[in-house]
Amino acid sequence: MSESKVSAYQAALIGDLVGSRKAADRVALHRAVTGVLSSTDSGAAIEVPAITAGDEFQGRYADVGAALGAAFRIRLALLPEVDVRFGVGWGEITVLDEERRIQDGPAWWSARAAIVATEDAATQPGLRTLRTSYQPSGDDGPPTEAVNAALICRDHLVGSLDDRSVRILRGLMAGQAKTTLAEAEGISPSAVSQRAVRDGLDAIVAASARLERVR
């Protein structure tokens, strides 16, 4: 085993599939998630998220914004067939074994507490759409209440979308033009624009861009 090493402050990301035990083909589900984890990486990851056990995956980032951005891209790529809950933690990380990706430390403890908070909060009717929470390990880091307030609002908007609006949002997040998305959906560009206004798709894109800039 390699010598343990304590990092500077980093963001830890834990993701867990929602209701995956009901999947008819868990092998196909596992393959789909694995493909999404690798294909959605923007290059910002210190460690690209990978499945660690069962339906859980973990990744590591230099800052909270990068972790939040990765979480949202992963979720959008899997919706509407599969949904994911996330916990993002901030703090020190101790690398116990770099080769086997065995780690410990306050960032991971905070990420674990955050994903538990996500799951617990979603049992409340008013927060049933919540899928992402953030928690720092101490006073250092982005403001907890402000970040979580933004996540609650964004998750509410996303949780209210139908399948077509999810597809359009995914395209908008990827930078595709509304005319291109309209052609793919077989609807008019004005219909796409109307959905973007009605469902808050442009607002979701704008909020997501700002959340990725959180440091």
Side-chain angles (χ1 to χ4, degrees):
M1 182 178 290
S2 59
E3 183 179 351
S4 64
K5 179 172 56 176
V6 179
S7 74
Y9 274 42
Q10 294 178 354
L13 171 69
I14 299 176
D16 182 45
L17 305 187
V18 177
S20 61
R21 293 182 182 181
K22 299 177 182 178
D25 189 340
R26 288 182 54 80
V27 173
L29 175 62
H30 185 279
R31 287 174 181 162
V33 173
T34 300
V36 164
L37 294 180
S38 59
S39 65
T40 54
D41 177 46
S42 66
I46 295 173
E47 285 183 344
V48 175
I51 294 175
T52 53
D55 298 328
E56 183 173 291
F57 54 86
Q58 298 180 1
R60 190 157 53 110
Y61 297 83
D63 56 68
V64 171
L68 294 175
F72 194 54
R73 284 191 296 274
I74 291 167
R75 187 184 177 203
L76 270 187
L78 289 168
L79 283 174
E81 288 80 11
V82 181
D83 206 352
V84 191
R85 69 174 63 91
F86 296 93
V88 174
W90 175 252
E92 290 183 332
I93 290 177
T94 301
V95 178
L96 302 174
D97 188 326
E98 194 160 0
E99 190 174 315
R100 299 181 185 180
R101 291 187 60 162
I102 300 174
Q103 301 165 15
D104 196 9
W108 288 113
W109 307 336
S110 295
R112 179 65 61 193
I115 197 169
V116 170
T118 302
E119 185 172 13
D120 289 347
T123 63
Q124 304 174 38
L127 295 175
R128 61 182 178 78
T129 56
L130 184 66
R131 292 294 179 268
T132 311
S133 298
Y134 155 70
Q135 183 171 313
S137 61
D139 295 333
D140 189 17
T144 309
E145 297 301 326
V147 172
N148 282 320
L151 292 172
I152 288 171
C153 293
R154 184 179 67 177
D155 282 356
H156 174 74
L157 287 173
V158 174
S160 304
L161 302 179
D162 62 21
D163 291 357
R164 171 167 280 174
S165 287
V166 167
R167 292 193 299 269
I168 292 172
L169 174 60
R170 186 161 52 231
L172 293 174
M173 287 289 297
Q176 295 181 22
K178 289 177 180 175
T179 51
T180 302
L181 297 171
E183 184 176 354
E185 291 292 327
I187 58 179
S188 67
S190 65
V192 171
S193 296
Q194 289 168 18
R195 274 182 175 264
V197 172
R198 183 195 69 199
D199 293 347
L201 306 185
D202 290 333
I204 294 171
V205 173
S208 298
R210 284 161 175 76
L211 280 167
E212 286 206 51
R213 293 199 290 269
V214 168
R215 298 292 182 266

